[in-house]
Amino acid sequence: MANRHLSRSIAMQSLFEWDFYAGKKKIDAILERNLSEFGPGMEDGKFSENLAKGVVKKKKEIDDIIQKAAPEWP
């Protein structure tokens, strides 16, 4: 699997877990564990971090867009 594809998968897995725990777990700790478990030796771990942290940072904006696009799924 290409590094970028794997990085995106790890970012998504981490965000799913972070959201599942309603943000009570720190995204940094989740990412660190998932990177070590699913991408050992991966060279582009920063890419996963940037993706996941960017989503967390812009969560409110993203949620507003999703609500407008999918009103049945608030």
Side-chain angles (χ1 to χ4, degrees):
M1 187 181 304
N3 274 351
R4 287 286 172 127
H5 181 80
L6 180 59
S7 293
R8 288 183 191 99
S9 295
I10 291 171
M12 286 298 296
Q13 289 172 320
S14 300
L15 287 165
F16 181 84
E17 182 177 344
W18 176 80
D19 190 54
F20 181 80
Y21 288 108
K24 292 177 184 169
K25 283 188 168 186
K26 296 213 181 274
I27 192 69
D28 293 329
I30 295 169
L31 275 166
E32 184 179 327
R33 190 190 73 247
N34 286 340
L35 282 167
S36 67
E37 184 174 344
F38 301 111
M42 192 170 68
E43 299 169 8
D44 204 11
K46 271 293 192 206
F47 183 67
S48 292
E49 290 180 37
N50 290 339
L51 285 174
K53 288 180 181 181
V55 169
V56 170
K57 183 177 179 181
K58 296 185 180 239
K59 182 182 182 313
K60 175 69 174 126
E61 295 171 44
I62 294 168
D63 284 348
D64 289 343
I65 293 168
I66 292 170
Q67 271 191 318
K68 288 177 188 171
E72 298 298 317
W73 297 89

